[in-house]
Amino acid sequence: MDAQSRGRAEEIDPADQWVINPRTGHYELRLDDSTAQRKQQRASVSAPRRSTPAAPTAPSPAVPKPRRGDGPPGRRPGRSRKGGGAGGGRRKKALMITGGSLAFLLVAGSVGAYLYYEHLNGNLTVTDTTGAGTGGFKKDQAINILVIGTDKRSGAGNEGYGDAESVGHADTTILFHVAKDRSNATALSIPRDLITDIPSCPTKQPDGTTKDVRGTKNTRFNNSLGQEGRDAGCTMRTVKDLTGIEVDNFMMVDFNAVKNLSTAVGGVPVCLDKAVDDRDSKLKLSAGEHRLAGEEALAFVRTRHSFGNESDLDRIKTQQAFLSSMMREMKSKETLSSPKKFFSLAEAATKSLTVDRGLGSIDKLTDLATELKDIDLKNVTFTTLPVQDNPAEKVKATVVLDRGRADPLLQMIRGDVSLTEVEKKEKADQQAADAEAKAKQDALLQGTRAPAADVRVDVYNGGGPKGAASTTLNWLQNSKGVTRSSNLGNAPAKVGATQLEFAPNQADQARALADMLGLPATALKAGTTDAAARTPMKLTLGPDFTGPGTPLAAPAPQEVPKDLQRVEADKAVCVK
């Protein structure tokens, strides 16, 4: 996380190294290997770019000529070419990442094209989460990225904020869910003062060994990171147990990220409903609109006693408004057309960013950015996990989960249902194909039902709550009369959602079991060949499973609690 001693990355201003190749009509980055050449480049930064033509390269018909105001195009990461001219075979490198950025602030606003260096890989800090997540997002599935803002006090740029050398907590935590069809995203904030259980978690030690950190019951959520040696993998496991949503990857940033990213983008616009003079965060602003960067931006997102009822929940709203504005700023024409901003953002993000091994390289972050690049900001919604004051406290300092309001919201996220009205862009033939596929799936629930005594099923836990398979087996046998059922423990592989696999000649059994468990049609996976006599079906419980008999179908958007707090990323709001 420390931004010091970065070596070559500190010696060159990336934005000043781009020139137009007159033969190809596109921008190229010139980085020389020798110290003398680098010094010569730095000495010539102030000289007009046209006086130093780029070395010629082979024509590239796929790259159009630049238009006025265009940012520099790029090419696939990691490729280099040798060119002629006065440089006589000087080594040149060009690296491109399309459609995205690196920290959450950049990932959430992933539009346009950003150009990066190979040395950015060295900026990243990578953590082994010892199997806490799925192992990495998949291109054909919904994506769940856990974004953690730590209040770590140690390291350059973090001095002066609270306790010196603090190991930090999960101070700001957002579960960023991207829909399977990439049309929308939901950013779920988890309050740091939420009382919950932190499960036992293995953590990788500096010497390469693994330490099992014991679990803790009824403690603040923010203790899932840093305390007792816990790493981000512990936070990932805590989020899964709390929400029923398994995390694919994580990204973690510290105080430096807010300061450096806000500065790199040229300041973040904010609006205040009233004047603020906060002695704790040192924020002093008049009512109205401001553009904040650096220390002032950090003070804004840390301010707790000047907005709302001075609670952490109101600070979450302030942070969501700031992040939304940051995303809009990065999507703006002024940012997309500025190579200097591109590179400043890339440097700031990578130097402040810690990720798991699944995102531990520029190539992997490129893949993620590509998945997110087409999401319209109007379909990105921030919300907060519904909570209520802790009834066990006389002086209210913590909160507990509001299960009645939280369950419908979590079901929506698990069911990949958007919090916004998404405009579908599919062509008519694709829409017809989708409708036909849905009708075919729904037809699986149409037909006869087998008697409970004739239903044969093996139950596996493929990502559901601990003990879900045994609990479901007892319920089926003792409450529903499904005596020909077996608990086979953990599934060979985890699943994204609960599924029931059956053969065509077991369809009546599948319908009967679906009725008992409240399975939607999408959970039924029909085979193509009949099963032999007395062959059981296979029921695999996923992270959407909360208990036997509880319907798994996600609620429609109109069933979301009407008082659900939300901030839509495309809309500016005034903080009160």
Side-chain angles (χ1 to χ4, degrees), residues 365-382:
L365 288 167
T366 300
D367 291 339
L368 176 61
T370 300
E371 294 298 306
L372 308 182
K373 66 184 179 65
D374 293 327
I375 300 178
D376 195 314
L377 288 185
K378 69 180 180 181
N379 295 325
V380 176
T381 305
F382 286 86

Side-chain angles (χ1 to χ4, degrees), residues 443-450 500 502 506-516 524 537:
L444 295 175
L445 290 176
Q446 305 302 316
T448 60
R449 269 69 172 164
L500 175 61
F502 61 96
Q506 296 172 322
D508 57 344
Q509 297 181 50
R511 297 185 195 107
L513 193 61
D515 289 346
M516 298 176 200
L524 274 58
M537 300 180 293

Side-chain angles (χ1 to χ4, degrees), residues 527-549:
T528 56
T529 58
D530 286 345
R534 294 192 292 275
T535 299
M537 300 180 293
K538 181 180 179 181
L539 173 65
T540 306
L541 306 176
D544 56 341
F545 181 84
T546 57

Side-chain angles (χ1 to χ4, degrees), residues 190-346:
I190 301 177
R192 67 174 192 176
D193 295 325
L194 172 65
I195 297 298
T196 188
D197 295 339
I198 300 174
S200 299
C201 56
T203 59
K204 190 72 71 175
Q205 302 301 300
D207 61 2
T209 61
T210 299
K211 174 186 176 182
D212 287 322
V213 181
R214 63 182 178 84
T216 305
K217 292 186 176 295
N218 296 318
T219 188
R220 276 181 166 89
F221 173 84
N222 68 348
N223 288 328
S224 64
L225 177 71
Q227 312 311 300
E228 299 184 40
R230 297 187 178 100
D231 61 10
C234 295
T235 308
M236 294 170 72
R237 289 181 169 91
T238 303
V239 169
K240 178 188 173 184
D241 286 358
L242 178 65
T243 65
I245 300 169
E246 191 161 30
V247 180
D248 296 308
N249 303 98
F250 87 88
M251 295 179 172
M252 184 166 64
V253 294
D254 61 11
F255 289 136
N256 277 323
V258 176
K259 295 190 294 183
N260 296 339
L261 289 169
S262 60
T263 300
V265 81
V268 177
V270 300
C271 176
L272 300 181
D273 190 62
K274 61 180 180 180
V276 171
D277 188 356
D278 192 305
R279 66 179 183 180
D280 292 330
S281 69
K282 308 297 190 296
L283 182 68
K284 186 173 183 179
L285 296 171
S286 61
E289 297 182 356
H290 301 269
R291 182 174 286 269
L292 307 183
E295 295 287 350
E296 202 170 35
L298 178 59
F300 181 79
V301 299
R302 293 185 66 237
T303 295
R304 177 170 181 169
H305 301 296
S306 297
F307 303 125
N309 60 8
E310 302 186 17
S311 70
D312 185 57
L313 297 179
D314 280 291
R315 178 164 60 176
I316 287 176
K317 296 177 185 177
T318 301
Q319 293 171 346
Q320 291 174 347
F322 181 87
L323 293 174
S324 297
S325 182
M326 171 74 83
M327 291 159 57
R328 292 192 301 274
E329 194 65 18
M330 286 187 292
K331 189 179 179 181
S332 69
K333 181 179 179 181
E334 289 74 13
T335 300
L336 294 177
S337 61
S338 171
K340 189 172 184 66
K341 284 188 178 181
F342 287 159
F343 286 100
S344 296
L345 285 168

